[in-house]
């Protein structure tokens, strides 16, 4: 019994990690206390997906439920997708055919099974029960809620107050989503914070149908690489899960230290205790770059496997090394002229280029840096007393002092 | 061509008679100009009806369309009736079974075929097409209108502003009613003034489905016998079409002269010219009672046949005669006392009762009238010089003078 309670506390901690809201914990504890695998529902669009890390926040949470022994219902909302936009106003949302839905589902699952456990995942399509639903059933479903209640939903109330049209069928879609929970007998439903209203529909309709209401768990939107906007393809601040290992690795190494902790909370599968230990170490002076490095490896491994992750890591180290100014740099002292030495002459005299014409060519090509800054002005001169680090290409360095 | 136009003008006059609103006359003229029989739709509840004259206003209009050669679609809205009140809040509206619908339809048509021409009436049930409608079709139907548009309907906007709940399926019912017009390819739909919004739905959905929009004709609510409130069973101011001939006749003879003209407009099948002629005659001094008499006969004949109407008319005349004070009335002169004669003594002395105790009994039973007014005060006395008409029961009269 003590063990069981401990285990429920542990489960609650894992479930709550990174989440926005859990409704309601006492109910979830009761469900967990039964010891049976819970039915965890999450709904997805039937459109062809190209997932980025932002999308995986929710899928990671499903994976965590699986690790706790629960059963995932990966619901593809093809019923409404096959209706399309019946108002015909949204030309970009034509109805999907059954074949397109099936093809998209394959694309989807190919990606999510890099995260989810196939054995504990049931892919379900709501057309299975919704196609059999009659107009009478739909009317009865619509009778379960009021117009006022529906207009409480944020986007509806804004549009209504702003005199923007809401077609009546838009009131039916949240009911369909809620009814899916009834059909699936879901114990828990996951969604983004923007989905809370629809998730609550599921609770209410389940009660209406004599079922125990599902618990709802909302997950936050993930910030993009800029740390400000939500991750999105159109903003260019994303990490696609199908990107090349080196790309993913490099992008993740580029994030701020602050964002790094956020990503660890929502994207890493490291247990919380380990992450806490890392935080302590960084606070005591260790380099956050090392945390990022391990995290980047974890993510690349998730989507491309262990070998790819190791390769990406060593590639990154190699590039990083090449980009750094070496510790043991050649010191070159030159004797200056009254009006200074032209930069091309300096480069040749310091032995960084074989000739001044080579020096001019490198300048023109953008291959020359002074104190880490690219220079291209061939009229630049170094006066007496100047002391700079010059670099040609990736590997040739010299500290030049003009006396 | 001239004939045709004349005939259209005539049709429009008949159609407009007593109506509240016709939308839109030019469209209706166009439809009439095709010369084909138009499809005239009117919807009725599938609950068991017990019709009164108020209900017949609309049915009379259908009959007028039939007399003009058009085809009536008598729609029984059994689809929604068989759903009942899905919120379960209205216990008085349980779902009807298919058998109940069929039985009620028989009750209904038995009554309406006293007015409508069977040959030009098609009784249709909207379950025929609505039962086949899927949830997808319902969603598509719901997509054709906005929430804001629906909230424009009077009763919805009042309830919404008054924070009274509107269940979402209530938004679907006007769409179902509108869709019925699509399924029936109605040319014209009739309804009460309170139905205008729903009738307009039919127009819009027909356009949406590529049909020419139906014209709509709203009929006013009929005032009851009191001339103030709408005719209704619960107010007791009604004339039921299944009431006994004498009842109908007597009730119609009791209405005010003003209300009589209103009833003639909405309930009589006499052509407008004849009614205008009667008005002129009354204005020139003829008795409006004669107009009522003919009208009462027409209505009784409609629901009970010619013989019943003639019997009711002669019965009414007989009763009316009995109730009148006869021309040749007995004159009785009495000699008074100083403090007057008690009424009981007068009744006996005048020979109207065999004894004063009989007189007192008649007074107590309300069987005595003085100058047409009932009297019951046995202490009443007639002073010297009094001259009154006394009546005991229906038939005994005397003019009594006290000297």
């Amino acid at each position: 019994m003590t063990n069981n309670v401990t285990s429920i506390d542990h489960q609650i901690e894992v479930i709550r990690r990174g989440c926005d809201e859990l409704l309601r914990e006492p109910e979830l504890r009761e469900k967990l206390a039964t010891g049976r695998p819970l039915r965890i529902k999450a709904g997805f669009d039937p459109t062809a997906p190209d997932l980025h890390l932002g999308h995986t926040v929710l899928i990671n949470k499903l994976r965590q439920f699986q690790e706790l022994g629960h059963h995932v219902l990966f619901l593809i909302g093809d019923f409404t997708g096959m209706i399309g936009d019946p108002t015909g106003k949204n030309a970009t949302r034509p109805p999907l055919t059954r074949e397109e839905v099936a093809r998209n589902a394959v694309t989807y699952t190919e990606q999510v099974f890099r995260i989810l456990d196939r054995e504990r995942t049931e892919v379900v399509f709501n057309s299975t029960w919704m196609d059999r639903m009659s107009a009478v059933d739909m009317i009865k479903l619509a009778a379960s809620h009021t117009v006022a209640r529906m207009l409480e939903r944020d986007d509806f109330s804004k549009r209504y107050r702003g005199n923007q049209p809401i077609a009546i069928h838009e009131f039916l879609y949240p009911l369909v989503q809620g009814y899916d929970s009834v059909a699936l007998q879901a114990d828990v439903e996951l969604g983004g914070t923007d989905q809370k209203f629809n998730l609550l529909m599921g609770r209410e309709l389940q009660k209406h149908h004599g079922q125990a209401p599902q618990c709802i768990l909302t997950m936050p939107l993930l910030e993009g690489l800029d740390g400000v906007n939500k991750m999105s393809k159109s903003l260019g601040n994303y990490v696609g899960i199908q990107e090349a290992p080196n790309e993913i690795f490099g992008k993740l190494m580029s994030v701020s230290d602050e964002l790094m902790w956020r990503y660890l909370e929502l994207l890493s599968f490291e247990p919380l205790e380990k992450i806490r230990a890392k935080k302590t170490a960084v606070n005591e002076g260790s380099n956050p770059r090392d945390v990022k490095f391990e995290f980047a490896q974890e993510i690349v491994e998730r989507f491309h496997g262990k070998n790819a992750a190791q390769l990406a890591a060593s590639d990154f180290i190699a590039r990083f090394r090449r980009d750094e100014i070496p510790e043991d740099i050649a010191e070159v002292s030159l004797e200056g002229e009254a009006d200074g030495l032209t930069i091309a002459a300096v480069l040749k005299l310091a032995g960084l280029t074989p000739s001044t014409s080579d020096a001019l060519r490198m300048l023109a090509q953008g291959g020359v840096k002074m104190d880490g800054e690219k220079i291209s002005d061939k009229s630049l001169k170094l006066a007496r007393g100047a002391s700079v680090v010059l670099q040609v290409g990736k590997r040739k360095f010299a500290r030049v002092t003009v006396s």
Side-chain angles (χ1 to χ4, degrees), chain A:
Chain A
M1 190 61 196
T2 315
N3 262 342
N4 190 21
V5 171
T6 315
S7 135
I8 289 175
D9 280 342
H10 170 69
Q11 291 199 49
I12 293 285
E13 190 186 16
V14 171
I15 291 165
R16 274 200 177 280
R17 172 174 171 178
C19 91
D20 191 72
E21 199 171 1
L22 167 61
L23 276 180
R24 309 176 166 170
E25 192 181 305
E27 289 174 16
L28 183 55
R29 283 182 179 271
E30 247 177 67
K31 287 174 195 274
L32 291 170
T34 64
R36 67 179 169 85
L38 299 185
R39 298 171 66 79
I40 315 298
K41 171 195 170 197
F44 299 89
D45 265 352
T47 44
D50 184 6
L51 299 185
H52 58 58
L53 291 182
H55 299 118
T56 69
V57 168
L58 197 73
I59 298 164
N60 292 346
K61 185 57 69 184
L62 292 174
R63 148 82 174 237
Q64 288 160 3
F65 271 103
Q66 290 180 325
E67 282 172 356
L68 298 171
H70 303 296
H71 182 74
V72 164
L73 300 156
F74 192 91
L75 172 70
I76 295 183
D78 63 335
F79 172 70
T80 50
M82 287 190 290
I83 299 173
D85 178 21
T87 65
K89 280 173 194 153
N90 192 345
T92 62
R93 250 189 66 193
L96 297 172
T97 64
R98 213 161 280 276
E99 291 68 38
E100 286 169 318
V101 166
R103 209 179 318 124
N104 292 345
V106 170
T107 315
Y108 224 139
T109 49
E110 270 173 1
Q111 294 174 68
V112 297
F113 283 137
R114 295 181 190 185
I115 302 174
L116 294 183
D117 175 355
R118 253 172 226 269
E119 301 303 310
R120 284 182 167 150
T121 306
E122 195 178 332
V123 179
V124 288
F125 298 83
N126 67 349
S127 61
T128 313
W129 49 90
M130 288 307 300
D131 279 351
R132 287 198 304 260
M133 194 182 251
S134 68
V136 172
D137 299 329
M138 185 53 85
I139 287 171
K140 287 183 179 170
L141 190 55
S144 64
H145 280 82
T146 67
V147 171
R149 173 87 181 79
M150 205 57 87
L151 280 173
E152 281 169 18
R153 204 175 86 170
D154 250 17
D155 56 333
F156 286 152
S157 73
K158 271 182 205 144
R159 282 160 65 196
Y160 185 65
R161 276 183 282 127
N163 292 320
Q164 289 185 307
I166 305 165
I168 293 166
H169 76 292
E170 296 185 70
F171 275 12
L172 302 180
Y173 283 175
L175 294 169
V176 169
Q177 184 174 335
Y179 183 76
D180 290 342
S181 295
V182 175
L184 290 171
Q185 302 190 275
D187 290 305
V188 180
E189 182 169 6
L190 269 62
T193 48
D194 54 339
Q195 284 290 306
K196 185 175 170 190
F197 182 92
N198 292 348
L199 304 183
L200 287 173
M201 277 289 147
R203 276 178 73 84
E204 293 178 26
L205 286 174
Q206 283 178 313
K207 282 185 223 167
H208 203 259
H209 284 78
Q211 294 181 14
Q214 63 186 12
C215 295
I216 72 169
L217 189 75
T218 55
M219 296 301 294
L221 293 171
L222 189 73
E223 294 84 357
L225 296 169
D226 53 16
V228 179
N229 300 300
K230 70 163 193 168
M231 184 173 284
S232 103
K233 227 169 169 179
S234 58
L235 292 174
N237 62 356
Y238 71 103
V239 181
I241 71 168
Q242 308 204 85
E243 287 192 85
N246 283 351
E247 275 296 306
I248 295 177
F249 205 102
K251 282 183 173 182
L252 292 177
M253 289 304 291
S254 78
V255 303
S256 71
D257 296 349
E258 197 193 348
L259 187 61
M260 170 186 81
W261 296 119
R262 175 77 170 159
Y263 277 17
L264 254 68
E265 183 181 31
L266 292 169
L267 300 174
S268 171
F269 292 154
E270 297 249 49
L272 282 173
E273 311 88 70
K274 275 208 177 175
I275 294 175
R276 284 192 205 109
K278 287 180 184 190
K279 244 179 190 161
T280 310
V282 167
N283 285 340
E284 286 168 355
S286 89
N287 196 335
R289 196 181 56 191
D290 301 338
V291 178
K292 258 175 248 181
F293 196 83
E294 282 183 19
F295 170 65
Q297 268 187 290
E298 181 191 350
I299 298 298
V300 173
E301 182 176 334
R302 184 176 304 161
F303 298 112
H304 293 284
K306 216 174 182 69
N307 288 340
Q310 280 170 348
L311 267 171
S314 47
D315 270 20
F316 184 83
I317 291 168
R319 262 181 298 145
F320 183 76
R321 289 237 170 97
R322 281 199 304 270
D323 286 353
E324 257 188 344
I325 297 171
E327 304 283 326
D328 52 342
I329 189 173
E331 302 275 342
V332 179
S333 283
L334 300 175
E335 206 161 318
E337 295 176 13
D339 61 343
L341 289 167
T342 67
I343 190 68
V346 172
L347 290 169
K348 177 183 177 284
L349 291 171
L352 294 169
T353 57
S355 64
T356 48
S357 60
D358 269 314
L360 289 166
R361 191 168 46 78
M362 289 307 280
L363 278 165
Q365 289 173 0
V368 180
K369 283 183 181 170
M370 183 163 76
D371 290 334
E373 299 271 33
K374 203 172 280 182
I375 53 172
S376 57
D377 180 6
K378 58 189 182 182
S379 66
L380 185 74
K381 290 184 172 184
L382 293 189
R384 282 183 190 155
S387 177
V388 294
V389 173
L390 290 171
Q391 177 185 358
V392 174
K394 293 257 176 195
R395 297 169 188 256
K396 294 183 181 167
F397 291 87
R399 179 174 306 277
V400 175
T401 311
V402 183
S403 60

